[in-house]
Amino acid sequence: MKFKIYSIIAAGTLGLTLASCKKDFLDKSPISQVTPDVAFADAAAAEKLIQGAYDGMYNDFHIMDFMTNGDVISDNCYAGGDNPNNAQLDKFTVTPTNSNVSRDWAALYKDIKNCNLITDNVPNIKDDKLDLNNRRTQIIAEARILRAYMYFHLVRLWGSVPLVLKTPSTAEEFQPAKASVDAIYAQIIADLEYGAANARVSGPNKGIVTKGIANALLAKVYATKSNPDWSKVQQYADATINGGYSLLGNYDFLWDSNHKNNTEAIWEMQYDGWGGPLGHGNWMPSQLFGAGWKKFNTPTNDLVALFNSEGDAVRKASSIFTDGIGWDDDYWKDNATYPHIHKYRADDKTDTYLIRLADIILLKAEALNEQSSGGWAQAKTLVDQIRNRVNLSGTPAADQASMRLAIEKERRLELAFEGHRWYDLLRTNRAITVMNAQKDGNGASLNYNVTPAKLLFPIPQSELDRNPNVR
Protein backbone atom coordinates (compact mmCIF):
# COMPACT_ATOMS: atom_id res chain seq x y z
CA MET A 1 0.00 0.00 0.00
CA LYS A 2 1.21 3.53 -0.75
CA PHE A 3 0.86 5.90 2.15
CA LYS A 4 -0.01 9.51 1.53
CA ILE A 5 1.09 10.74 4.92
CA TYR A 6 1.42 9.59 8.51
CA SER A 7 1.32 11.96 11.41
CA ILE A 8 2.72 10.39 14.55
CA ILE A 9 1.46 12.74 17.18
CA ALA A 10 4.23 13.75 19.56
CA ALA A 11 2.91 16.67 21.51
CA GLY A 12 0.08 17.20 19.06
CA THR A 13 -2.71 19.68 19.11
CA LEU A 14 -4.26 19.01 22.47
CA GLY A 15 -7.42 20.97 23.08
CA LEU A 16 -8.36 20.91 26.74
CA THR A 17 -11.91 22.24 26.52
CA LEU A 18 -13.57 23.00 29.80
CA ALA A 19 -17.28 23.67 29.79
CA SER A 20 -17.00 26.79 31.91
CA CYS A 21 -14.40 28.68 29.89
CA LYS A 22 -14.62 27.35 26.29
CA LYS A 23 -10.86 27.77 25.96
CA ASP A 24 -8.21 25.63 24.31
CA PHE A 25 -5.42 25.35 26.84
CA LEU A 26 -2.86 23.80 24.57
CA ASP A 27 -2.13 24.51 20.95
CA LYS A 28 1.01 22.65 20.06
CA SER A 29 2.12 21.62 16.58
CA PRO A 30 3.19 18.04 15.83
CA ILE A 31 6.95 17.52 16.14
CA SER A 32 7.17 14.05 14.58
CA GLN A 33 5.66 13.96 11.12
CA VAL A 34 6.48 10.95 8.95
CA THR A 35 6.11 11.09 5.16
CA PRO A 36 6.49 8.35 2.52
CA ASP A 37 10.07 9.14 1.52
CA VAL A 38 11.43 8.79 5.05
CA ALA A 39 8.89 6.73 6.96
CA PHE A 40 10.24 3.26 6.42
CA ALA A 41 13.66 3.89 4.89
CA ASP A 42 16.28 3.13 7.54
CA ALA A 43 17.14 2.61 11.20
CA ALA A 44 16.79 6.32 11.96
CA ALA A 45 13.24 6.29 10.59
CA ALA A 46 12.41 3.27 12.75
CA GLU A 47 13.62 5.16 15.81
CA LYS A 48 11.46 8.09 14.76
CA LEU A 49 8.43 5.83 14.54
CA ILE A 50 8.86 4.41 18.04
CA GLN A 51 9.59 7.86 19.46
CA GLY A 52 6.38 9.05 17.83
CA ALA A 53 4.49 6.25 19.57
CA TYR A 54 5.82 7.40 22.93
CA ASP A 55 5.23 11.08 22.22
CA GLY A 56 1.71 10.31 21.08
CA MET A 57 0.86 9.24 24.61
CA TYR A 58 1.06 12.82 25.84
CA ASN A 59 -2.62 13.37 25.13
CA ASP A 60 -5.67 14.06 27.28
CA PHE A 61 -6.24 10.39 28.05
CA HIS A 62 -2.83 9.76 29.60
CA ILE A 63 -2.42 13.26 31.02
CA MET A 64 -5.68 13.52 32.95
CA ASP A 65 -8.48 11.16 31.93
CA PHE A 66 -6.65 8.18 33.42
CA MET A 67 -7.49 9.63 36.83
CA THR A 68 -11.04 10.63 35.98
CA ASN A 69 -11.70 7.09 34.75
CA GLY A 70 -9.91 5.37 37.60
CA ASP A 71 -10.85 7.57 40.54
CA VAL A 72 -13.85 9.77 39.74
CA ILE A 73 -15.95 6.86 38.51
CA SER A 74 -14.99 5.05 41.72
CA ASP A 75 -15.49 5.97 45.37
CA ASN A 76 -12.20 7.91 45.54
CA CYS A 77 -13.25 11.21 43.92
CA TYR A 78 -16.22 13.33 43.05
CA ALA A 79 -16.07 15.08 39.69
CA GLY A 80 -15.51 18.47 41.32
CA GLY A 81 -15.20 21.58 39.16
CA ASP A 82 -17.98 22.31 36.71
CA ASN A 83 -17.45 20.02 33.72
CA PRO A 84 -20.74 18.23 32.87
CA ASN A 85 -18.91 15.39 31.11
CA ASN A 86 -16.96 14.58 34.26
CA ALA A 87 -20.17 14.84 36.26
CA GLN A 88 -21.83 12.21 34.03
CA LEU A 89 -18.97 9.82 34.76
CA ASP A 90 -19.22 10.54 38.47
CA LYS A 91 -22.98 9.96 38.60
CA PHE A 92 -23.20 7.00 36.20
CA THR A 93 -25.31 8.91 33.68
CA VAL A 94 -22.87 8.68 30.76
CA THR A 95 -24.30 9.03 27.25
CA PRO A 96 -22.69 8.24 23.87
CA THR A 97 -22.22 11.97 23.25
CA ASN A 98 -20.05 12.46 26.34
CA SER A 99 -16.91 14.21 25.08
CA ASN A 100 -14.61 12.42 27.54
CA VAL A 101 -15.77 9.09 26.16
CA SER A 102 -15.25 10.11 22.53
CA ARG A 103 -11.83 11.67 23.08
CA ASP A 104 -10.60 8.67 25.08
CA TRP A 105 -11.70 6.28 22.34
CA ALA A 106 -10.00 8.42 19.70
CA ALA A 107 -6.82 8.84 21.75
CA LEU A 108 -6.39 5.13 22.43
CA TYR A 109 -6.99 4.13 18.82
CA LYS A 110 -4.59 6.82 17.62
CA ASP A 111 -1.97 5.36 19.95
CA ILE A 112 -2.73 1.91 18.54
CA LYS A 113 -2.37 3.25 14.99
CA ASN A 114 1.10 4.52 15.87
CA CYS A 115 2.04 1.08 17.19
CA ASN A 116 0.63 -0.70 14.14
CA LEU A 117 2.74 1.46 11.83
CA ILE A 118 5.75 0.02 13.62
CA THR A 119 4.69 -3.62 13.64
CA ASP A 120 3.62 -3.36 9.98
CA ASN A 121 6.77 -1.77 8.65
CA VAL A 122 9.81 -2.01 10.92
CA PRO A 123 10.23 -5.77 10.22
CA ASN A 124 10.72 -4.94 6.51
CA ILE A 125 13.16 -2.04 6.76
CA LYS A 126 16.38 -2.98 4.95
CA ASP A 127 19.09 -1.47 7.12
CA ASP A 128 21.72 -3.60 8.84
CA LYS A 129 22.14 -0.96 11.54
CA LEU A 130 18.66 -1.83 12.77
CA ASP A 131 19.81 -5.33 13.67
CA LEU A 132 22.77 -4.27 15.80
CA ASN A 133 22.16 -5.38 19.39
CA ASN A 134 18.68 -6.68 18.42
CA ARG A 135 17.36 -3.14 18.09
CA ARG A 136 14.78 -4.07 15.44
CA THR A 137 13.30 -6.69 17.74
CA GLN A 138 13.36 -4.29 20.69
CA ILE A 139 11.46 -1.62 18.76
CA ILE A 140 8.79 -4.12 17.75
CA ALA A 141 8.59 -5.36 21.34
CA GLU A 142 8.12 -1.82 22.65
CA ALA A 143 5.37 -1.17 20.13
CA ARG A 144 3.57 -4.38 21.05
CA ILE A 145 3.76 -3.60 24.78
CA LEU A 146 2.33 -0.14 24.13
CA ARG A 147 -0.43 -1.60 21.95
CA ALA A 148 -1.31 -4.13 24.65
CA TYR A 149 -1.55 -1.34 27.21
CA MET A 150 -3.96 0.63 25.02
CA TYR A 151 -6.17 -2.41 24.45
CA PHE A 152 -6.09 -3.15 28.18
CA HIS A 153 -7.71 0.23 28.77
CA LEU A 154 -10.18 -0.24 25.92
CA VAL A 155 -11.39 -3.67 27.03
CA ARG A 156 -11.83 -2.57 30.65
CA LEU A 157 -13.67 0.63 29.73
CA TRP A 158 -15.80 -0.63 26.82
CA GLY A 159 -15.64 -4.44 26.83
CA SER A 160 -15.97 -5.68 23.26
CA VAL A 161 -14.23 -3.30 20.81
CA PRO A 162 -12.61 -3.55 17.37
CA LEU A 163 -9.25 -5.32 17.44
CA VAL A 164 -7.15 -3.47 14.88
CA LEU A 165 -3.69 -4.99 14.43
CA LYS A 166 -2.54 -3.46 11.16
CA THR A 167 -2.87 -0.26 9.21
CA PRO A 168 -6.23 -0.35 7.36
CA SER A 169 -6.04 -0.55 3.57
CA THR A 170 -9.60 -1.43 2.47
CA ALA A 171 -13.02 0.05 3.09
CA GLU A 172 -13.92 -2.95 5.24
CA GLU A 173 -10.80 -2.53 7.38
CA PHE A 174 -11.71 1.09 8.03
CA GLN A 175 -15.01 -0.12 9.56
CA PRO A 176 -13.97 -3.10 11.70
CA ALA A 177 -16.45 -5.12 13.73
CA LYS A 178 -16.06 -5.61 17.45
CA ALA A 179 -13.95 -8.53 18.68
CA SER A 180 -14.89 -10.62 21.68
CA VAL A 181 -13.46 -9.73 25.08
CA ASP A 182 -11.65 -13.09 25.16
CA ALA A 183 -10.04 -12.41 21.78
CA ILE A 184 -8.87 -9.00 22.94
CA TYR A 185 -7.32 -10.44 26.09
CA ALA A 186 -5.64 -13.19 24.06
CA GLN A 187 -4.02 -10.54 21.85
CA ILE A 188 -3.00 -8.43 24.84
CA ILE A 189 -1.28 -11.45 26.37
CA ALA A 190 0.43 -12.38 23.11
CA ASP A 191 1.78 -8.85 22.71
CA LEU A 192 2.99 -8.69 26.30
CA GLU A 193 4.61 -12.12 26.16
CA TYR A 194 6.51 -11.00 23.05
CA GLY A 195 7.47 -7.84 24.90
CA ALA A 196 8.63 -9.68 28.01
CA ALA A 197 10.84 -11.90 25.87
CA ASN A 198 12.30 -9.19 23.62
CA ALA A 199 12.17 -5.74 25.21
CA ARG A 200 15.13 -4.07 26.87
CA VAL A 201 15.82 -4.64 30.57
CA SER A 202 16.15 -0.89 31.09
CA GLY A 203 15.93 2.32 29.13
CA PRO A 204 17.25 5.87 29.46
CA ASN A 205 14.35 6.67 31.80
CA LYS A 206 11.28 4.98 33.28
CA GLY A 207 9.11 6.22 30.41
CA ILE A 208 10.57 3.63 28.03
CA VAL A 209 8.79 0.27 28.11
CA THR A 210 10.92 -2.66 29.28
CA LYS A 211 10.69 -6.31 30.27
CA GLY A 212 9.67 -5.18 33.75
CA ILE A 213 6.71 -3.24 32.39
CA ALA A 214 5.62 -6.19 30.26
CA ASN A 215 5.81 -8.51 33.28
CA ALA A 216 3.89 -6.08 35.49
CA LEU A 217 1.17 -5.67 32.86
CA LEU A 218 0.89 -9.44 32.46
CA ALA A 219 0.32 -9.76 36.19
CA LYS A 220 -2.42 -7.13 36.03
CA VAL A 221 -4.00 -8.63 32.90
CA TYR A 222 -4.17 -12.15 34.34
CA ALA A 223 -5.82 -10.71 37.47
CA THR A 224 -8.37 -8.79 35.39
CA LYS A 225 -9.55 -11.41 32.90
CA SER A 226 -13.05 -12.75 33.49
CA ASN A 227 -11.39 -15.98 34.67
CA PRO A 228 -8.32 -14.77 36.59
CA ASP A 229 -5.28 -17.04 36.54
CA TRP A 230 -3.78 -16.41 39.95
CA SER A 231 -0.77 -18.64 39.39
CA LYS A 232 0.10 -16.52 36.35
CA VAL A 233 -0.45 -13.36 38.39
CA GLN A 234 2.04 -14.63 40.96
CA GLN A 235 4.49 -15.72 38.26
CA TYR A 236 4.60 -12.34 36.58
CA ALA A 237 4.43 -10.40 39.82
CA ASP A 238 7.50 -12.32 40.99
CA ALA A 239 9.25 -11.63 37.70
CA THR A 240 8.56 -7.92 38.20
CA ILE A 241 9.51 -7.80 41.87
CA ASN A 242 12.78 -9.60 41.12
CA GLY A 243 13.55 -7.24 38.26
CA GLY A 244 15.66 -4.78 40.24
CA TYR A 245 12.94 -2.56 41.73
CA SER A 246 12.65 -1.58 45.40
CA LEU A 247 10.26 0.48 47.52
CA LEU A 248 11.33 3.97 48.47
CA GLY A 249 11.83 4.30 52.21
CA ASN A 250 9.84 7.53 52.38
CA TYR A 251 6.36 7.46 50.81
CA ASP A 252 6.34 11.20 50.18
CA PHE A 253 9.48 10.96 48.03
CA LEU A 254 7.21 9.48 45.37
CA TRP A 255 5.43 12.81 45.01
CA ASP A 256 7.93 15.58 45.74
CA SER A 257 9.32 15.61 42.14
CA ASN A 258 12.86 15.41 43.55
CA HIS A 259 12.95 11.64 43.07
CA LYS A 260 11.85 11.10 39.47
CA ASN A 261 12.62 7.73 37.88
CA ASN A 262 13.21 6.22 41.29
CA THR A 263 13.68 2.56 42.21
CA GLU A 264 9.97 2.04 42.89
CA ALA A 265 8.87 3.37 39.51
CA ILE A 266 8.19 0.67 36.94
CA TRP A 267 6.56 2.90 34.32
CA GLU A 268 6.56 6.66 34.72
CA MET A 269 5.29 9.36 32.37
CA GLN A 270 8.07 11.91 31.79
CA TYR A 271 7.05 15.56 32.04
CA ASP A 272 9.25 18.61 31.52
CA GLY A 273 6.43 21.18 31.25
CA TRP A 274 4.60 22.71 28.34
CA GLY A 275 7.44 25.18 27.94
CA GLY A 276 10.18 22.58 28.27
CA PRO A 277 12.44 21.24 25.50
CA LEU A 278 10.11 18.28 24.87
CA GLY A 279 6.92 20.20 25.57
CA HIS A 280 5.53 17.30 27.59
CA GLY A 281 3.44 19.05 30.21
CA ASN A 282 1.09 17.57 32.76
CA TRP A 283 -2.36 18.77 33.68
CA MET A 284 -3.42 17.76 37.16
CA PRO A 285 -6.41 19.01 39.12
CA SER A 286 -4.95 19.91 42.49
CA GLN A 287 -2.54 22.83 42.35
CA LEU A 288 -1.48 23.57 38.79
CA PHE A 289 -3.69 26.63 38.38
CA GLY A 290 -3.49 27.86 41.95
CA ALA A 291 -6.23 28.94 44.30
CA GLY A 292 -8.23 30.70 41.62
CA TRP A 293 -9.05 27.55 39.66
CA LYS A 294 -12.01 25.26 40.16
CA LYS A 295 -10.75 22.00 41.64
CA PHE A 296 -11.54 18.88 39.65
CA ASN A 297 -11.41 15.32 41.00
CA THR A 298 -12.28 16.17 44.60
CA PRO A 299 -11.51 13.47 47.21
CA THR A 300 -14.68 11.89 48.58
CA ASN A 301 -16.00 11.98 52.12
CA ASP A 302 -15.69 8.20 52.12
CA LEU A 303 -11.98 8.19 51.21
CA VAL A 304 -11.08 10.93 53.69
CA ALA A 305 -12.95 9.01 56.40
CA LEU A 306 -11.05 5.84 55.51
CA PHE A 307 -7.68 7.56 55.84
CA ASN A 308 -8.80 8.90 59.22
CA SER A 309 -10.26 5.67 60.57
CA GLU A 310 -7.15 3.75 59.54
CA GLY A 311 -4.91 6.31 61.23
CA ASP A 312 -3.07 6.56 57.93
CA ALA A 313 -1.53 9.98 58.53
CA VAL A 314 1.48 9.54 56.24
CA ARG A 315 -0.37 8.60 53.09
CA LYS A 316 -3.18 11.04 53.81
CA ALA A 317 -0.71 13.93 54.09
CA SER A 318 0.93 12.93 50.81
CA SER A 319 -2.37 12.37 49.02
CA ILE A 320 -4.69 15.14 50.25
CA PHE A 321 -4.33 18.76 51.27
CA THR A 322 -7.07 21.11 52.45
CA ASP A 323 -7.74 24.80 51.98
CA GLY A 324 -10.68 27.17 51.91
CA ILE A 325 -11.31 26.91 48.17
CA GLY A 326 -14.52 24.94 47.76
CA TRP A 327 -16.31 26.50 44.82
CA ASP A 328 -19.73 25.63 46.26
CA ASP A 329 -18.84 21.95 46.11
CA ASP A 330 -21.99 19.82 46.36
CA TYR A 331 -20.40 17.34 48.74
CA TRP A 332 -18.22 19.53 50.95
CA LYS A 333 -20.28 22.75 51.00
CA ASP A 334 -20.92 22.65 54.75
CA ASN A 335 -17.20 22.64 55.53
CA ALA A 336 -14.84 25.54 56.15
CA THR A 337 -12.06 23.67 54.37
CA TYR A 338 -12.05 21.42 51.35
CA PRO A 339 -9.86 18.45 50.36
CA HIS A 340 -7.82 18.45 47.17
CA ILE A 341 -5.43 15.99 45.59
CA HIS A 342 -1.85 16.49 46.78
CA LYS A 343 0.10 13.85 44.87
CA TYR A 344 0.66 16.21 41.92
CA ARG A 345 2.18 19.37 43.26
CA ALA A 346 5.03 20.49 41.01
CA ASP A 347 2.83 22.17 38.38
CA ASP A 348 3.06 20.83 34.84
CA LYS A 349 6.39 19.05 35.40
CA THR A 350 5.01 16.45 37.82
CA ASP A 351 5.58 12.91 36.54
CA THR A 352 2.80 10.35 36.95
CA TYR A 353 3.21 6.63 37.61
CA LEU A 354 1.48 4.24 35.28
CA ILE A 355 2.79 1.31 37.35
CA ARG A 356 4.90 1.23 40.48
CA LEU A 357 6.19 -1.57 42.66
CA ALA A 358 3.72 -1.24 45.54
CA ASP A 359 0.88 -1.99 43.10
CA ILE A 360 2.56 -5.25 42.04
CA ILE A 361 3.47 -6.29 45.59
CA LEU A 362 -0.17 -5.96 46.62
CA LEU A 363 -1.25 -7.80 43.48
CA LYS A 364 1.05 -10.68 44.43
CA ALA A 365 -0.52 -10.67 47.90
CA GLU A 366 -3.90 -10.98 46.26
CA ALA A 367 -2.69 -13.91 44.13
CA LEU A 368 -1.33 -15.72 47.18
CA ASN A 369 -4.57 -15.20 49.07
CA GLU A 370 -6.75 -16.40 46.21
CA GLN A 371 -4.82 -19.58 45.46
CA SER A 372 -5.49 -21.31 48.76
CA SER A 373 -7.43 -20.80 51.97
CA GLY A 374 -4.13 -20.63 53.84
CA GLY A 375 -2.52 -18.18 51.45
CA TRP A 376 -3.61 -15.27 53.62
CA ALA A 377 -0.60 -15.78 55.91
CA GLN A 378 1.85 -15.28 53.04
CA ALA A 379 -0.22 -12.39 51.76
CA LYS A 380 -0.05 -10.75 55.19
CA THR A 381 3.73 -10.44 54.97
CA LEU A 382 3.43 -8.42 51.76
CA VAL A 383 0.53 -6.27 52.97
CA ASP A 384 2.42 -5.50 56.17
CA GLN A 385 5.49 -4.50 54.13
CA ILE A 386 3.40 -1.80 52.47
CA ARG A 387 1.79 -0.74 55.74
CA ASN A 388 5.05 -0.64 57.69
CA ARG A 389 6.52 1.88 55.27
CA VAL A 390 3.87 4.40 56.35
CA ASN A 391 4.15 3.59 60.06
CA LEU A 392 1.03 1.42 60.29
CA SER A 393 0.86 -1.80 62.25
CA GLY A 394 0.24 -5.10 60.49
CA THR A 395 -3.17 -5.93 59.08
CA PRO A 396 -5.47 -7.75 61.51
CA ALA A 397 -6.85 -9.91 58.68
CA ALA A 398 -6.54 -13.58 59.68
CA ASP A 399 -8.40 -15.60 57.05
CA GLN A 400 -8.93 -15.58 53.30
CA ALA A 401 -12.14 -13.53 53.28
CA SER A 402 -10.87 -10.81 55.62
CA MET A 403 -7.54 -10.68 53.80
CA ARG A 404 -9.36 -10.16 50.51
CA LEU A 405 -10.98 -7.00 51.90
CA ALA A 406 -7.77 -5.93 53.63
CA ILE A 407 -5.88 -6.03 50.32
CA GLU A 408 -8.67 -4.10 48.61
CA LYS A 409 -8.46 -1.43 51.32
CA GLU A 410 -4.68 -1.30 51.19
CA ARG A 411 -4.69 -0.83 47.44
CA ARG A 412 -7.19 1.99 47.80
CA LEU A 413 -5.12 3.89 50.36
CA GLU A 414 -1.77 3.21 48.73
CA LEU A 415 -2.79 3.96 45.13
CA ALA A 416 -5.40 6.71 45.58
CA PHE A 417 -5.50 9.18 42.65
CA GLU A 418 -3.27 7.00 40.47
CA GLY A 419 -6.10 5.71 38.29
CA HIS A 420 -6.47 2.16 39.67
CA ARG A 421 -9.46 2.06 42.01
CA TRP A 422 -12.31 1.69 39.48
CA TYR A 423 -10.53 -1.14 37.69
CA ASP A 424 -9.94 -2.89 41.02
CA LEU A 425 -13.65 -2.72 41.80
CA LEU A 426 -14.52 -4.01 38.35
CA ARG A 427 -12.18 -6.99 38.35
CA THR A 428 -13.22 -8.09 41.84
CA ASN A 429 -16.92 -7.75 40.99
CA ARG A 430 -17.32 -5.26 43.82
CA ALA A 431 -18.21 -2.17 41.80
CA ILE A 432 -22.00 -2.36 42.14
CA THR A 433 -21.96 -3.20 45.85
CA VAL A 434 -19.41 -0.55 46.78
CA MET A 435 -20.80 2.27 44.65
CA ASN A 436 -24.43 1.76 45.61
CA ALA A 437 -23.42 1.95 49.27
CA GLN A 438 -21.82 5.40 48.89
CA LYS A 439 -23.04 8.17 51.18
CA ASP A 440 -22.35 11.87 51.45
CA GLY A 441 -20.77 13.55 54.47
CA ASN A 442 -24.09 13.58 56.30
CA GLY A 443 -24.74 9.87 55.79
CA ALA A 444 -27.32 10.25 53.03
CA SER A 445 -27.18 7.88 50.07
CA LEU A 446 -25.68 9.27 46.87
CA ASN A 447 -28.18 7.17 44.89
CA TYR A 448 -25.82 6.11 42.14
CA ASN A 449 -28.12 3.21 41.25
CA VAL A 450 -25.33 1.36 39.47
CA THR A 451 -26.41 -1.59 37.35
CA PRO A 452 -24.37 -4.00 35.22
CA ALA A 453 -25.23 -1.95 32.14
CA LYS A 454 -23.54 1.10 33.69
CA LEU A 455 -20.21 -0.57 34.33
CA LEU A 456 -18.92 0.05 30.80
CA PHE A 457 -18.70 3.15 28.64
CA PRO A 458 -21.09 3.41 25.69
CA ILE A 459 -19.53 3.40 22.24
CA PRO A 460 -19.08 7.09 21.29
CA GLN A 461 -21.84 8.46 19.11
CA SER A 462 -19.26 9.74 16.63
CA GLU A 463 -17.96 6.19 16.19
CA LEU A 464 -21.47 4.75 15.90
CA ASP A 465 -22.16 7.24 13.12
CA ARG A 466 -18.88 6.44 11.34
CA ASN A 467 -18.82 2.68 11.72
CA PRO A 468 -22.12 0.73 11.75
CA ASN A 469 -20.21 -2.46 12.63
CA VAL A 470 -19.67 -1.37 16.23
CA ARG A 471 -23.36 -1.12 17.03
Side-chain angles (χ1 to χ4, degrees), residues 27-28 46 107 145 192-193 234-235 270 279 281 332 366 396 457:
D27 187 10
K28 305 181 70 63
I145 294 169
L192 292 175
E193 286 177 342
Q234 183 179 345
Q235 172 190 334
Q270 307 290 305
W332 292 99
E366 193 172 344
F457 282 175

Side-chain angles (χ1 to χ4, degrees), residues 270-286:
Q270 307 290 305
Y271 292 106
D272 66 341
W274 298 118
L278 297 177
H280 291 164
N282 198 354
W283 187 96
M284 299 309 299
S286 52

